[in-house]
Amino acid sequence: MAQVTCVVCEGQVTLPEGAMEGEILLCADCGTELELVSLDPLTVEEAPQVQEDWGE
Amino acid sequence: MAQVTCVVCEGQVTLPEGAMEGEILLCADCGTELELVSLDPLTVEEAPQVQEDWGE
Amino acid sequence: MIGVVKIGGASGNDTRFLLEDLARRVRSGERWVLVHGASGVTDVLCEAAGVACRYVTSPSGYRSRYVGPAERALFEAAALSFSCRLSSELAACGVAAAVLRPDAARTARAERKAVLRAVEGSRRFILRDNYSGTVSAIDRLPLESAWKAGALPLLPPLAFDDESGLNLNVDGDRLAAAVAASIGADVMVILSNVPGLMEDLSRPDSLVRRGSLDGWERLERMAEGNMKRKLLACREALEGGLERVVLSDSRCERPLTHAVEGGGSQLWNSLSALRSSMAVAG
Amino acid sequence: MIGVVKIGGASGNDTRFLLEDLARRVRSGERWVLVHGASGVTDVLCEAAGVACRYVTSPSGYRSRYVGPAERALFEAAALSFSCRLSSELAACGVAAAVLRPDAARTARAERKAVLRAVEGSRRFILRDNYSGTVSAIDRLPLESAWKAGALPLLPPLAFDDESGLNLNVDGDRLAAAVAASIGADVMVILSNVPGLMEDLSRPDSLVRRGSLDGWERLERMAEGNMKRKLLACREALEGGLERVVLSDSRCERPLTHAVEGGGSQLWNSLSALRSSMAVAG
């Protein structure tokens, strides 16, 4: 299983099966939400906090 | 090369390479224009005469 | 009388009754704005063009259409085609409707929800190329110049996003509320294929006849699915200064007159306004 | 004065000059019908929706867009969206435009060219699910009720096919000609991005200023590509009873007034009518 480095704590985060671009991953070490911005090359960033719930 | 029977003179008409549905075939024996209405099953009918040229 | 009326966008909708009723009131000198939805006609165009409709669910459970670049273009085109259908039917009733397309008329502006979060089963996603928006501003000038030209302003559920330079699809009910507040309307009427806010959808006799901002939580608890958004739009109109909004049925003979004269669910901006309406109704 | 003006449908077209000029003439009491094309905006929508534009060539060499079911739906939606853009810009000029969608207003009927022959290199085909059509009938009533409501009738390049129950795309120039003949217009003006009929496209000073039905073959020999169809539409309008049609440039300041007052190519229904126009022009 592919792994990627957490941008906050540099812990190793395992990608779920069939992970897709835009998916949100949770860093088990520090709890940061990471956005899988690209699969090739494998890149993550901190996932943005979305202000309002778009149902509103 | 696939062949189909002419609906007018029952002569054998050879299909061109990569023949497509809707293609017009010419019966070499009687000169009738045939429309390839279906590839499966292989079926032809007399091609309709179109009144005006659709550029008009 | 200045009013705003919102109708749905399903292609099969029979709009004749509503448009005849609206035309009669416009010809009698009342000033109206007609806002319409477009979800029904968009599905038809997406299917014809072979573009699958994708739906996404927000973290708090709201299910909405996913609007990527292709869906946006199709939604805009479908919405504007429906505007043309309504304008043609109004012309046949002797009323000139001025279809106001936001990128040309700058009637409504939107803020794009550029980053969304969506959930799919246990998995969560960031959506980045979403092209739906929230209404951020209304310009009443194009509406007034349409009235001055003797026309009925007719608005599709679209608003212009300066940043992308595109029309974004917006919620038609909330667009109607924003327009009603901006022109200081006397009433906003939202017509759909239900009698109004129902206490219990399975009981046809459970229509809520009256309500007001003062008891709004009670109303919200009853609302399900789409009605939640309609109620949100009603609250925005009332908080935007309207005295009264009505949720009513589009399927009766004079649906607009029925609503204006007390039919459906009458929602007031305060309990006192509600009480005085009952006194008047006698 | 009763007139019909036809403009192109490219999304980039700057229609401001034309619409301001048209609005001025409408406000002064002249009766006009505005017809527009849609090929440009259709390409944009097809691309956004990921539907490839296919072109086919007729046995005699005419190249046209292939209009299958998906293309038809996209063409219709793109055409009607462009109608909404024009109606919004006209509203800003103080004129209410009534967009008349043929399936709702029954303004124009079409006969579907259900069976077409096409050539591709040396191979020949029968096309069966084609959804473009030829205008077969015009109903002037919806146009007159729009005028009565103080509105400018605005027609997309569509006509209704009773058999399929669908709007088919038709040639905008020929639709304008059919409308002009049916309402007995004084003039039809076709505006495009060329000065008029040019004897030689590479020589800007080779504008043909005048012509008439009596010398039509000479005009036809000069026409290339799209201009062939525009000339066909002009002949249909003149044979339909019009005294004069004008092919002129949409890119000048008052393009409609320029054309009505003698600019571009003035085409008359007879040599005598042409001569008397020159005597008047002095």
Side-chain angles (χ1 to χ4, degrees):
Chain A
M1 295 269 269
Q3 290 209 316
V4 69
T5 312
C6 169
V7 292
V8 171
C9 76
E10 297 189 350
Q12 285 306 303
V13 181
T14 316
L15 265 66
E17 196 56 44
M20 299 198 296
E21 223 165 76
E23 188 145 2
I24 299 175
L25 313 173
L26 202 62
C27 171
D29 300 343
C30 68
T32 302
E33 286 186 325
L34 299 169
E35 178 190 352
L36 188 52
V37 291
S38 139
L39 285 169
D40 185 14
L42 214 50
T43 327
V44 287
E45 279 163 16
E46 264 197 271
Q49 290 312 324
V50 176
Q51 324 79 356
E52 31 126 302
D53 182 313
W54 42 284
E56 290 292 306
Chain B
M1 294 267 271
Q3 289 210 315
V4 68
T5 312
C6 170
V7 291
V8 172
C9 75
E10 296 188 351
Q12 284 307 299
V13 181
T14 316
L15 266 64
E17 195 57 44
M20 299 200 294
E21 222 165 76
E23 189 145 3
I24 299 175
L25 313 173
L26 202 63
C27 171
D29 300 343
C30 69
T32 302
E33 287 186 320
L34 300 170
E35 179 190 351
L36 188 54
V37 289
S38 141
L39 284 169
D40 185 14
L42 213 51
T43 327
V44 286
E45 279 164 17
E46 264 196 271
Q49 289 311 321
V50 176
Q51 324 80 356
E52 30 125 302
D53 182 314
W54 42 283
E56 291 291 306
Chain C
M1 148 87 98
I2 295 185
V4 174
V5 53
K6 153 71 175 42
I7 62 172
S11 52
N13 264 9
D14 185 348
T15 49
R16 226 163 4 89
F17 286 144
L18 177 268
L19 296 179
E20 276 159 12
D21 193 10
L22 174 59
R24 202 177 305 111
R25 299 188 78 102
V26 166
R27 285 200 307 270
S28 74
E30 292 182 356
R31 285 188 155 193
W32 284 89
V33 178
L34 173 60
V35 181
H36 66 82
S39 52
V41 286
T42 299
D43 292 342
V44 172
L45 185 59
C46 282
E47 202 191 314
V51 172
C53 278
R54 290 177 285 166
Y55 284 85
V56 285
T57 309
S58 80
S60 68
Y62 265 108
R63 188 169 174 274
S64 291
R65 182 198 304 275
Y66 172 68
V67 184
E71 291 86 354
R72 185 211 69 80
L74 291 167
F75 187 98
E76 177 188 44
L80 292 169
S81 324
F82 194 70
S83 301
C84 294
R85 190 184 124 186
L86 299 176
S87 112
S88 305
E89 287 169 2
L90 283 160
C93 302
V95 164
V99 178
L100 299 178
R101 181 179 152 146
D103 53 347
R106 300 298 161 101
T107 32
R109 276 200 164 64
E111 246 159 50
R112 192 174 145 213
K113 302 174 203 168
V115 180
L116 291 182
R117 285 186 165 221
V119 294
E120 218 174 283
S122 63
R123 302 170 69 172
R124 294 173 306 144
F125 296 89
I126 298 282
L127 298 181
R128 284 202 179 273
D129 66 348
N130 173 66
Y131 282 87
S132 59
T134 321
V135 177
S136 56
I138 298 289
D139 178 0
R140 41 190 294 171
L141 209 65
L143 307 175
E144 280 157 3
S145 74
W147 280 329
K148 231 172 74 191
L152 166 73
L154 196 161
L155 274 59
L158 300 169
F160 183 64
D161 168 31
D162 286 285
E163 233 179 275
S164 62
L166 294 169
N167 289 327
L168 307 183
N169 80 302
V170 292
D171 181 281
D173 298 315
R174 295 180 69 191
L175 174 62
V179 168
S182 120
I183 60 174
D186 300 309
V187 66
M188 173 173 86
V189 175
I190 296 183
L191 295 174
S192 62
N193 46 17
V194 283
L197 175 61
M198 311 298 284
E199 227 170 305
D200 172 352
L201 271 173
S202 62
R203 283 178 33 232
D205 61 347
S206 71
L207 175 66
V208 175
R209 291 204 170 287
R210 285 187 195 77
S212 82
L213 276 183
D214 298 325
W216 202 260
E217 293 66 32
R218 188 175 68 84
L219 305 179
E220 264 174 351
R221 275 195 302 276
M222 297 177 205
E224 287 172 31
N226 255 339
M227 189 52 84
K228 273 188 189 167
R229 269 187 243 205
K230 290 190 184 303
L231 265 188
L232 172 64
C234 292
R235 197 181 71 203
E236 285 174 342
L238 292 171
E239 286 171 351
L242 267 76
E243 199 191 23
R244 175 171 69 119
V245 295
V246 186
L247 287 164
S248 190
D249 202 328
S250 60
R251 298 165 303 177
C252 55
E253 236 203 277
R254 296 189 168 198
L256 190 52
T257 300
H258 173 69
V260 169
E261 291 176 356
S265 303
Q266 303 278 318
L267 307 177
W268 296 83
N269 59 0
S270 70
L271 198 55
S272 54
L274 184 155
R275 287 219 177 88
S276 56
S277 83
M278 293 172 72
V280 164
Chain D
M1 147 86 99
I2 296 185
V4 174
V5 53
K6 154 74 177 35
I7 62 171
S11 52
N13 264 8
D14 186 349
T15 50
R16 226 163 3 91
F17 286 143
L18 176 269
L19 296 179
E20 277 159 11
D21 193 11
L22 175 58
R24 202 175 305 112
R25 300 187 77 102
V26 166
R27 285 199 308 270
S28 74
E30 291 181 357
R31 287 188 153 192
W32 284 88
V33 178
L34 173 58
V35 180
H36 66 80
S39 52
V41 286
T42 300
D43 292 342
V44 171
L45 184 60
C46 281
E47 202 191 313
V51 172
C53 279
R54 290 176 287 166
Y55 283 84
V56 285
T57 310
S58 79
S60 69
Y62 267 110
R63 188 169 174 274
S64 290
R65 183 198 303 274
Y66 172 69
V67 185
E71 290 87 353
R72 184 212 69 81
L74 290 167
F75 187 97
E76 177 189 44
L80 293 168
S81 323
F82 194 70
S83 301
C84 293
R85 192 184 121 184
L86 299 176
S87 114
S88 305
E89 286 169 2
L90 283 161
C93 302
V95 164
V99 178
L100 298 177
R101 182 182 153 143
D103 53 346
R106 300 296 161 102
T107 33
R109 277 199 164 62
E111 244 159 51
R112 192 172 147 213
K113 302 175 201 166
V115 180
L116 290 181
R117 286 187 166 220
V119 294
E120 218 172 282
S122 63
R123 302 168 68 173
R124 294 174 307 144
F125 296 89
I126 299 281
L127 299 181
R128 284 202 179 273
D129 66 347
N130 172 67
Y131 282 88
S132 57
T134 321
V135 177
S136 56
I138 299 288
D139 178 0
R140 40 189 297 170
L141 209 62
L143 306 175
E144 279 156 6
S145 76
W147 279 330
K148 231 172 73 191
L152 164 74
L154 196 161
L155 274 60
L158 299 168
F160 183 65
D161 168 31
D162 285 285
E163 233 179 274
S164 63
L166 295 168
N167 289 326
L168 307 183
N169 80 302
V170 292
D171 181 280
D173 299 315
R174 296 179 70 191
L175 174 62
V179 168
S182 121
I183 60 174
D186 301 308
V187 68
M188 172 174 85
V189 176
I190 296 185
L191 296 174
S192 63
N193 47 16
V194 283
L197 174 62
M198 310 298 284
E199 227 171 303
D200 172 353
L201 270 174
S202 61
R203 281 179 33 232
D205 60 349
S206 70
L207 174 66
V208 175
R209 291 206 168 286
R210 284 186 195 76
S212 82
L213 277 182
D214 298 326
W216 203 260
E217 292 65 32
R218 188 177 69 86
L219 305 180
E220 264 173 352
R221 276 194 302 276
M222 298 175 204
E224 288 172 31
N226 255 341
M227 189 50 84
K228 273 187 190 168
R229 270 186 242 204
K230 291 191 185 302
L231 266 187
L232 171 64
C234 292
R235 199 180 70 203
E236 286 174 341
L238 293 172
E239 286 170 350
L242 266 76
E243 200 193 20
R244 175 171 69 122
V245 295
V246 187
L247 288 164
S248 190
D249 202 328
S250 60
R251 297 164 304 176
C252 55
E253 234 204 279
R254 296 190 169 200
L256 192 52
T257 301
H258 173 68
V260 169
E261 291 175 357
S265 303
Q266 304 278 318
L267 307 176
W268 297 83
N269 60 359
S270 70
L271 197 54
S272 55
L274 185 155
R275 286 218 176 89
S276 58
S277 83
M278 292 173 73
V280 163

